[in-house]
């Protein structure tokens, strides 16, 4: 007969006791690992955030550059470079970033503006504000870099006064200079030797010639009234002693159009008197007002040397009767100036 015996509990297993908890040393090791991992994650996240802000700043500066002087790789159907943006439309760089966002006192853009001083048959020149050239992010009150700081607006000498020529972001550290994500970032339209020597800009901005002006060269002026291939540009008595070449474009003060620059040739003094059929090559039409963008050039033969403001239309100004006017030559001025333009042909006005 088997008798029932009370069950006896097994003795505690020391190994199981040790597995049910952590010793103080083990807890310290675990916490150290967690802290290290957390630090790595935070550091990597901060680095990724700074990289995103850095790239955002670069993209904004690129958009600003294109808004002011146009995209460098923009081409027309004929493969020629096209210049768009604020300078092309208004005839000067913006005085501040606000002008890229709001029209202010400038005239709106139109393609059919007749410049004062032009002679019949009249020409049309485009000019005026057609922005906004940039748009602010939703809810933003100003244009800022990736770190939420407004861009510094500097002139060509690197000073925070005067015309807008240099834009700067001070980077993540918000200090001048710096390295890595704290490095300053720029969009530069023009910088002088003074800017390159400026202590805050030294080593970051060199001398950069104007990217919004261009010298215009024309291949000469000839006469052709359609009847005599040997027409004489120097027929002084009948047609006047002066040939005037004018460049028309947007008026930088208003956005309307005006004479940007002109060259006056005295046919006697320039060696193209009686018997000459071609006015020599024009070395260059001076004037800082000849900015990049679509522009128009035209030649006139008159009997007096005009100032740049004077009207060459004989119907409006009897002081400048002329019976020879060239067809307008439309061209796109590019940084540094376009290749030499073709000849301007003076024809008799019927």
């Amino acid at each position: 007969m088997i008798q029932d015996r009370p069950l006896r509990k097994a003795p505690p297993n020391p190994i199981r006791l040790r597995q049910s908890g952590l010793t103080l040393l083990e807890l310290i090791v675990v916490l150290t690992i967690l802290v290290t991992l957390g630090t790595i994650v935070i550091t990597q996240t901060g680095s990724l955030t700074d990289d995103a802000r850095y790239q955002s700043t670069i993209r904004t500066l690129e958009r600003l550059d294109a808004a002011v002087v146009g995209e460098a790789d923009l081409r027309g159907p004929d493969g020629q470079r096209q210049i768009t943006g604020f300078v092309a439309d208004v005839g000067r760089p913006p005085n501040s970033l606000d002008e890229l966002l709001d029209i202010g006192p400038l005239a709106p853009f139109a393609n059919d503006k007749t410049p004062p001083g032009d002679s019949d048959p009249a020409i049309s020149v485009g000019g005026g504000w057609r922005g906004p050239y940039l748009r602010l992010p939703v809810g933003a009150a100003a244009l800022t870099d990736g770190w939420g700081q407004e861009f510094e607006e500097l002139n060509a000498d690197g000073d925070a006064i005067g015309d807008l020529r240099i834009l700067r972001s001070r980077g993540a550290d918000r200090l001048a200079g710096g390295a890595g994500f704290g490095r300053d970032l720029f969009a530069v339209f023009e910088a002088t030797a003074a800017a390159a020597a400026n202590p805050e800009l030294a080593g970051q901005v060199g001398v950069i010639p104007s990217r919004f002006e261009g010298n215009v060269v024309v291949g000469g002026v000839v006469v052709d009234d359609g009847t005599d291939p040997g027409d004489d540009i120097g027929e002084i008595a009948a047609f006047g002693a002066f040939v005037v070449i004018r460049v028309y474009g947007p008026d930088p003060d208003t956005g309307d159009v005006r004479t940007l620059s002109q060259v006056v040739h005295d046919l006697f003094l320039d060696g193209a008197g009686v018997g000459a059929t071609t006015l020599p090559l024009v070395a260059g039409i001076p004037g800082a007002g000849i900015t990049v963008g679509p522009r128009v050039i035209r030649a006139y033969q008159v009997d007096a040397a005009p100032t740049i403001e004077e009207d060459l239309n004989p119907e409006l100004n009897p002081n400048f009767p002329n019976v020879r006017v060239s067809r307008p030559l439309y061209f796109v001025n590019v940084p540094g100036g376009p290749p030499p333009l073709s000849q301007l042909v003076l024809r008799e006005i019927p």
Side-chain angles (χ1 to χ4, degrees):
M1 180 175 178
I2 300 175
Q3 295 182 351
D4 292 334
R5 296 180 181 180
L7 297 176
R8 297 174 58 186
K9 294 182 179 181
N13 190 330
I15 297 178
R16 288 182 179 177
L17 283 179
R18 286 198 300 272
Q19 289 180 341
S20 65
L22 294 174
T23 65
L24 180 60
L25 178 59
E26 290 171 332
L27 183 61
I28 291 174
V29 170
V30 170
L31 289 176
T32 301
I33 293 173
L34 291 175
V35 170
T36 302
L37 290 174
T39 302
I40 293 173
V41 170
I42 292 173
T43 301
Q44 291 297 324
T45 301
S47 178
L48 291 174
T49 300
D50 274 335
D51 183 65
R53 295 179 186 276
Y54 183 88
Q55 296 300 329
S56 173
T57 303
I58 290 177
R59 288 193 298 270
T60 301
L61 286 171
E62 289 174 345
R63 289 196 298 270
L64 279 165
D65 192 90
V68 174
V69 294
E71 299 179 20
D73 56 354
L74 184 62
R75 295 291 186 273
D78 58 356
Q80 296 297 312
R81 181 177 177 185
Q82 299 296 299
I83 302 294
T84 61
F86 187 92
V87 174
D89 296 341
V90 179
R92 62 167 172 79
N95 294 324
S96 68
L97 290 179
D98 291 339
E99 287 196 313
L100 297 175
L101 306 171
D102 188 83
I103 190 171
L106 294 171
F109 185 89
N111 277 312
D112 56 356
K113 297 180 177 180
T114 301
D118 182 36
S119 178
D120 286 335
I123 61 177
S124 295
V125 182
W129 193 90
R130 55 174 164 183
Y133 297 88
L134 287 171
R135 295 188 182 277
L136 296 177
V138 177
L143 194 65
T144 61
D145 63 12
W147 291 274
Q149 301 300 304
E150 292 188 30
F151 290 98
E152 290 187 62
E153 302 177 17
L154 309 175
N155 64 14
D157 293 336
D159 301 321
I161 56 173
D163 299 329
L164 174 60
R165 298 292 185 269
I166 302 172
L167 285 167
R168 173 169 70 172
S169 163
R170 290 186 178 238
D173 61 7
R174 302 176 184 178
L175 301 173
F181 296 125
R183 178 170 66 90
D184 293 355
L185 298 172
F186 297 87
V188 183
F189 310 116
E190 182 183 22
T192 65
N198 187 310
E200 281 203 351
L201 303 179
Q204 303 175 79
V205 173
V207 177
I208 298 179
S210 169
R211 296 174 54 222
F212 51 84
E213 295 175 356
N215 200 34
V216 179
V217 177
V218 64
V221 179
V222 299
V223 172
D224 179 13
D225 65 8
T227 61
D228 184 356
D231 279 340
D232 186 351
I233 201 173
E235 292 172 351
I236 306 303
F239 299 107
F242 298 90
V243 169
V244 180
I245 303 174
R246 283 187 165 179
V247 179
Y248 295 109
D251 184 334
D253 294 326
T254 65
D256 284 317
V257 297
R258 66 172 177 85
T259 302
L260 301 179
S261 183
Q262 75 172 16
V263 169
V264 178
H265 286 271
D266 185 320
L267 296 180
F268 283 129
L269 296 180
D270 292 341
V274 175
T277 58
T278 304
L279 193 66
L281 177 74
V282 178
I285 299 177
I290 308 179
T291 50
V292 297
R295 303 293 180 255
V296 184
I297 189 170
R298 197 176 207 180
Y300 309 82
Q301 189 167 2
V302 295
D303 62 358
T307 67
I308 198 169
E309 295 85 7
E310 287 181 295
D311 198 326
L312 296 183
N313 190 332
E315 293 185 359
L316 302 177
N317 189 343
N319 294 322
F320 292 102
N322 63 75
V323 290
R324 281 176 168 170
V325 178
S326 76
R327 289 180 179 175
L329 178 60
Y330 294 83
F331 67 97
V332 176
N333 201 8
V334 297
L341 304 177
S342 59
Q343 291 180 325
L344 297 167
V345 181
L346 287 169
R347 291 181 172 86
E348 228 176 302
I349 298 176

